[in-house]
Amino acid sequence: MRRPKGMGPSEKPSDTSLQEKTMAAFHSNARQPNQSTFREDLVAWLRSLKAPKAWVGLTAVTWARTFSSDLATRLASAGYAELSQHLNRQDLLALCKRSDVPLEYRVAAVMAWGRSNPRNPQNNRNLWASISNIAPLLKRLPELTRKQAFAEFQRLIARGALQGMRASFFTKLMFFFGCPHAYILDQWMAKAMLALRAANWRVSVDGNPKFVRSAGNFIRLGYGGTSIALTMSGDDYEAYCLSVEALVRPLGRVDGADVECWLFSDPTSEWRRFLKRLDWKLKTERL
DNA sequence: TCAAGGGAGAGCCTGGGCCT
DNA sequence: AGGCCCAGGCTCTCCCTTGA
């Protein structure tokens, strides 16, 4: 199936009835996601796309080399082949379950998988220096709810105990270290969910859908739109996870993690190109 | 045809400056 | 003072071009 004409923010939907239904849903601000929460035409388009290519990150050794040659050497000679390999999700999930691998090495593997700031050595040095502060929380992740875990992360941030790591990478740790039903929330997942949410679209003067982020979003990007805002709470994160799960059936996916893979897509996909065309620097507007 | 080189795009936090 | 915004950081990978 091709991309529907009405998909884009400045293009008119070809199906009038669909347009009416979609527009009616634009003003739905319900916090609990339901079918009208999302733009149905976008969901249908997404469902029709071919499976995205698998994400490929860095090896832990390569990542470590971006800020510490000593650490890179230590990882390379630690006796764990996975630290020198490009891991997929399943590989990384398996590695993170292994208690025989030092916790910080597993964290490095997750940071590498997500390509944490290879262009910013100082950031990664800060991140690495904060690991001892976050280690107790990481060990408890399997026993915490996703809302509790995210709230504890925010408390660490507020105390200044965690530098170089924001929600995008903490949620990766939540996912890989076994916090139940936690999903990764990075800029692309945030953008995907904001774009799918019908309340963030309006009808412009020429009758076309126009992307305008409303004020009621539980997902908030940082300024410039490349990071997750520090103002997101545990409740906000919980609402995000519920939204992901609400898309399992509409998108025909297996579970929330599968939805996340689908929405994250790959950097060259049609879906990603669509997201990039939207204006993420716009301030939120009150309806 | 293949190897080498170059350009562009991918990732995201921080610091600092401007604005209200 | 706090909100808002932008530039900086600068490696790895992919893809296209060039030259042997």
Side-chain angles (χ1 to χ4, degrees):
Chain A
M1 186 168 113
R2 288 178 165 274
R3 180 165 66 95
K5 282 187 175 179
M7 183 277 301
S10 59
E11 298 169 50
K12 186 179 284 187
S14 54
D15 178 351
T16 311
S17 62
L18 174 62
Q19 182 184 12
E20 285 168 359
K21 270 162 62 182
T22 307
M23 297 302 156
F26 278 7
H27 299 287
S28 164
N29 254 327
R31 198 165 173 88
Q32 196 74 5
N34 55 48
Q35 199 159 355
S36 68
T37 301
F38 308 108
R39 256 188 73 171
E40 290 176 23
D41 55 337
L42 288 183
V43 171
W45 175 54
L46 256 174
R47 189 181 171 124
S48 73
L49 296 177
K50 62 182 180 190
K53 285 184 284 188
W55 167 253
V56 179
L58 305 178
T59 73
V61 171
T62 300
W63 177 75
R65 202 164 51 230
T66 67
F67 67 99
S68 167
S69 55
D70 284 352
L71 178 62
T73 304
R74 259 191 292 147
L75 292 181
S77 57
Y80 305 106
E82 292 89 343
L83 301 179
S84 301
Q85 296 168 349
H86 290 276
L87 304 180
N88 63 27
R89 277 185 183 243
Q90 295 310 315
D91 297 335
L92 188 53
L93 275 167
L95 178 69
C96 288
K97 284 199 178 89
R98 283 177 54 183
S99 55
D100 62 305
V101 181
L103 181 79
E104 62 267 32
Y105 291 5
R106 286 178 273 158
V107 172
V110 175
M111 297 301 107
W113 182 84
R115 292 171 175 262
S116 170
N117 297 316
R119 295 179 181 180
N120 189 341
Q122 188 54 50
N123 183 79
N124 284 343
R125 272 191 284 273
N126 291 340
L127 190 163
W128 196 247
S130 296
I131 285 188
S132 59
N133 292 338
I134 202 173
L137 175 55
L138 296 182
K139 289 174 185 164
R140 290 168 54 226
L141 283 177
E143 285 77 50
L144 294 176
T145 66
R146 57 201 184 191
K147 178 177 160 180
Q148 289 170 331
F150 194 88
E152 293 215 16
F153 155 73
Q154 289 293 28
R155 279 194 279 278
L156 285 174
I157 291 283
R159 274 177 33 212
L162 193 53
Q163 293 198 313
M165 184 191 300
R166 290 201 186 180
S168 56
F169 279 90
F170 180 71
T171 54
K172 288 180 177 75
L173 291 173
M174 287 173 72
F175 178 78
F176 286 109
F177 278 79
C179 185
H181 307 293
Y183 310 116
I184 295 169
L185 172 58
D186 66 358
Q187 65 156 319
W188 293 111
M189 280 305 294
K191 287 172 178 173
M193 296 304 289
L194 288 168
L196 283 171
R197 194 162 179 247
N200 290 326
W201 293 85
R202 285 199 213 166
V203 185
S204 64
V205 286
D206 58 7
N208 291 323
K210 178 175 166 42
F211 181 68
V212 180
R213 277 184 280 172
S214 69
N217 288 301
F218 43 80
I219 301 169
R220 291 183 293 282
L221 289 165
Y223 306 115
T226 58
S227 60
I228 303 300
L230 291 171
T231 55
M232 280 190 63
S233 64
D235 283 327
D236 292 326
Y237 178 69
E238 174 66 20
Y240 159 72
C241 291
L242 289 173
S243 283
V244 170
E245 288 161 354
L247 281 165
V248 172
R249 281 185 63 187
L251 283 180
R253 309 316 310 165
V254 177
D255 55 22
D258 193 20
V259 167
E260 186 232 296
C261 290
W262 200 265
L263 290 183
F264 179 77
S265 197
D266 72 79
T268 59
S269 67
E270 275 190 85
W271 172 244
R272 187 70 73 89
R273 284 201 295 272
F274 163 64
L275 292 179
K276 285 178 186 172
R277 282 200 298 273
L278 304 181
D279 184 0
W280 298 104
K281 293 186 179 181
L282 279 177
K283 292 179 188 176
T284 57
E285 293 186 20
R286 294 188 183 281
L287 292 174

